[in-house]
Amino acid sequence: MKKVYVGMRADIIHHGHLKIIQEARKLGEVTIGLLTDKAAASYKRMPFFSYEHRKMILENIIGVKEVISQETLDYVPNLMRLKPDYVVHGNDWKTGAQKEVRKRVISVLKEWGGKLVEPDFTKDVSSSQIAEELFELGTTPGARMKKLRRLLELKPIVRVLEVHNGLTGRIVEKTRVVEGDNVREFECMWLSSLTDSTAKGKPDSGCVDFTSRVNTLNQIFEVTTKPMIVDADNGGLTEHFVFMVKTMERLGVSAVIIEDKVGAKRNSLFGAEVEQEQDEIEMFSDKISSGKKAQVTEDFMIIARIESLILNKGMEDALKRAKAYIDAGVDGIMIHSKKKDFQEILEFCREYKQFENKVPLVAVPSTYSSITEEELIGAGVSIVIYANQLLRSAYPAMVNTAETILKNHRALESEEQCMPIKEILSLIPAVCTGGK
Ligand code: SPV
Ligand code: MG
């Protein structure tokens, strides 16, 4: 029997997959190289179904002899081991994201005279299209909430972008950039107190009340499926925080971040320019453990935000607090800084790496924005939050348009700054507003 290798992601199985397997069977004994969850998440969104579930389905398809794991997008390591006579793949990978992977398959097969066989791909069905349609259907609170923990397992860093209304939620949901083999997107949303307040024409001083923040959250959740981290300021009094935890969890929020400050709420980026007081370690630890006791599921996360560097309390204090908060049961640590350079963040990360007990580390590079995701990964950061960029870019554009109309006594000159009317009419698909 000849050996036939078929690499697959097989997240949403359809007749296109079965046709490939049928073609492969005609050539010999079929081994499926199934992308692991990490490999599948390395170049585009994480799969809907876990490796075990995808494997179980494939193993029960007639003609599949064995399913083995493929740990990289690159087929070469598995091909070197198995030295198959044939690799079978639909001919849709000649162009686009997988072009390079294909080239490497062809060149390694040459080493033992193996062949690449490329049946016509099935044009009337596409996993990506089915996935898009599933996302448009929406999600449930429980399914959305779980996604952040899964992303933390699968991605080297979870990329989070600020949202403050339904439209910005849609931007996080839909925006994608293709870079070689990779489709890059934001995996999660951040409901920022700064941009939520600013979008409502109010200062970031806690004057947008909790009910209003929950309303905004619901508006965003109506039109998105990605997970959400909520900026909960300092979480309020401990006896109120426990209710906040339950509300957030019930809605399907994946994590809240609470900052270790007390007193009148001021945005951290003011630093020591304004009066800001840090909480006692014991009091804040108590808030964390009370919150942890209040949550119902294992999925919800409470992340503690350390303000020591912002308030010039020093590295020692920041590290001491990180240890105490971890002991109190926190699920993540956000270390904040308002320096332009990122040396103090890297110093914190270096020390943090030595901790015996670690939880995922979160960074918010608003002022030290020159740091790259690769540098953050190297430092051990698991979540990067781009906390305010959508609103900061939208506001100057809108003011500019307003001024252009005023200066010209008409709207014509503003047109080149605006998206075409036709485009805005179809920006939101009809399915979101009640059918096609
Ligand atoms: C926010 O986005 O509201 C934050 C981050 O809390 S910062 O503005 O940097 O304090
Ligand atoms: Mg905030």
Side-chain angles (χ1 to χ4, degrees):
M1 263 308 225
K2 300 273 188 197
K3 280 195 273 182
V4 189
Y5 186 85
V6 182
M8 274 190 177
R9 175 180 169 96
D11 190 18
I12 307 170
I13 296 269
H14 52 67
H15 54 280
H17 294 102
L18 298 186
K19 268 164 83 177
I20 294 289
I21 293 170
Q22 276 165 7
E23 290 302 319
R25 267 179 88 186
K26 291 180 190 159
L27 300 167
E29 236 170 35
V30 179
T31 299
I32 306 263
L34 179 61
L35 289 183
T36 58
D37 289 344
K38 256 200 179 145
S42 70
Y43 69 105
K44 61 177 183 182
R45 64 163 180 82
M46 63 181 179
F48 285 106
F49 298 110
S50 69
Y51 177 82
E52 286 68 30
H53 291 160
R54 292 180 287 128
K55 183 167 186 256
M56 195 195 291
I57 294 169
L58 287 172
E59 279 172 343
N60 284 286
I61 290 177
I62 293 170
V64 174
K65 179 171 168 270
E66 199 187 1
V67 179
I68 61 168
S69 66
Q70 183 174 310
E71 314 230 331
T72 55
L73 199 53
D74 187 6
Y75 284 42
V76 171
N78 273 4
L79 296 186
M80 294 289 281
R81 237 169 359 98
L82 292 177
K83 301 217 169 26
D85 302 286
Y86 298 102
V87 168
V88 178
H89 194 289
N91 63 358
D92 54 332
W93 67 341
K94 290 186 176 172
T95 54
Q98 284 191 287
K99 196 168 72 190
E100 294 306 314
V101 178
R102 175 178 180 268
K103 274 192 201 152
R104 284 176 57 75
V105 168
I106 294 172
S107 99
V108 76
L109 281 174
K110 274 198 190 125
E111 289 180 22
W112 56 88
K115 269 206 186 110
L116 173 63
V117 176
E118 297 174 304
D120 282 344
F121 79 100
T122 314
K123 293 193 183 64
D124 63 349
V125 67
S126 130
S127 301
S128 311
Q129 189 54 38
I130 299 173
E132 284 294 312
E133 286 172 20
L134 284 177
F135 286 128
E136 287 304 335
L137 275 181
T139 187
T140 62
R144 187 197 298 264
M145 183 164 49
K146 279 186 192 5
K147 284 182 187 169
L148 181 60
R149 284 207 189 261
R150 188 146 177 256
L151 282 164
L152 280 166
E153 271 173 37
L154 300 184
K155 294 276 184 187
I157 196 159
V158 180
R159 221 177 271 125
V160 187
L161 184 62
E162 163 260 322
V163 291
H164 51 270
N165 57 18
L167 186 63
T168 46
R170 292 296 291 176
I171 292 175
V172 173
E173 186 80 7
K174 305 290 278 184
T175 308
R176 258 167 235 159
V177 169
V178 179
E179 249 178 27
D181 289 344
N182 291 311
V183 182
R184 290 163 66 80
E185 57 185 280
F186 294 97
E187 285 106 16
C188 179
M189 302 177 278
W190 164 245
L191 184 60
S192 151
S193 68
L194 174 63
T195 66
D196 187 20
S197 312
T198 308
K200 291 178 170 60
K202 295 197 166 165
D204 183 16
S205 60
C207 59
V208 175
D209 66 20
F210 186 59
T211 307
S212 165
R213 306 217 65 208
V214 167
N215 274 338
T216 306
L217 194 59
N218 273 320
Q219 284 162 14
I220 296 166
F221 276 8
E222 265 186 84
V223 294
T224 60
T225 61
K226 290 190 177 178
M228 172 72 90
I229 303 176
V230 168
D231 173 1
D233 292 336
N234 68 5
L237 298 173
T238 299
E239 55 263 48
H240 301 161
F241 178 56
V242 291
F243 286 102
M244 180 195 276
V245 165
K246 287 193 190 295
T247 303
M248 292 290 159
E249 192 181 22
R250 195 171 59 247
L251 289 171
V253 167
S254 299
V256 283
I257 299 192
I258 49 170
E259 56 197 50
D260 57 0
K261 287 194 306 201
V262 284
K265 152 79 189 174
R266 295 287 174 260
N267 184 277
S268 301
L269 300 177
F270 281 120
E273 276 170 41
V274 296
E275 186 107 346
Q276 305 202 51
E277 197 188 326
Q278 212 169 4
D279 203 352
E280 303 284 331
I281 295 186
E282 294 69 28
M283 297 294 280
F284 197 69
S285 299
D286 180 53
K287 195 182 283 187
I288 292 166
S289 47
S290 304
K292 287 305 294 174
K293 275 187 216 130
Q295 74 184 62
V296 178
T297 66
E298 296 280 298
D299 302 317
F300 187 75
M301 298 173 72
I302 298 177
I303 299 175
R305 158 172 168 174
I306 298 174
E307 295 283 304
S308 307
L309 305 180
I310 295 272
L311 301 173
N312 299 325
K313 297 280 172 66
M315 193 59 66
E316 279 302 305
D317 185 72
L319 292 162
K320 186 167 139 198
R321 284 172 179 270
K323 279 204 177 106
Y325 302 161
I326 292 172
D327 287 346
V330 90
D331 301 295
I333 293 284
M334 168 182 155
I335 181 65
H336 208 15
S337 164
K338 66 178 281 289
K339 291 258 166 73
K340 247 186 131 51
D341 76 76
F342 44 85
Q343 288 322 311
E344 70 175 9
I345 284 288
L346 291 187
E347 191 186 332
F348 179 91
C349 293
R350 264 195 306 277
E351 296 292 330
Y352 188 79
K353 270 192 182 166
Q354 313 301 322
F355 281 22
E356 225 167 87
N357 275 338
K358 282 193 280 287
V359 290
L361 202 52
V362 184
V364 183
S366 295
T367 52
Y368 56 98
S369 55
S370 62
I371 199 161
T372 63
E373 289 168 8
E374 291 69 24
E375 284 167 319
L376 288 167
I377 294 167
V381 171
S382 304
I383 298 180
V384 54
I385 301 180
Y386 299 100
N388 45 47
Q389 286 77 5
L390 286 184
L391 188 60
R392 279 170 58 214
S393 54
Y395 181 74
M398 289 193 284
V399 171
N400 192 12
T401 299
E403 286 175 354
T404 304
I405 297 171
L406 287 176
K407 279 182 198 151
N408 292 285
H409 305 212
R410 64 178 188 180
L412 177 70
E413 289 72 14
S414 72
E415 289 292 341
E416 63 183 38
Q417 289 147 225
C418 299
M419 72 197 288
I421 292 202
K422 212 168 159 229
E423 236 173 77
I424 194 148
L425 290 177
S426 54
L427 182 67
I428 309 297
V431 70
C432 279
T433 52
K436 284 185 184 169

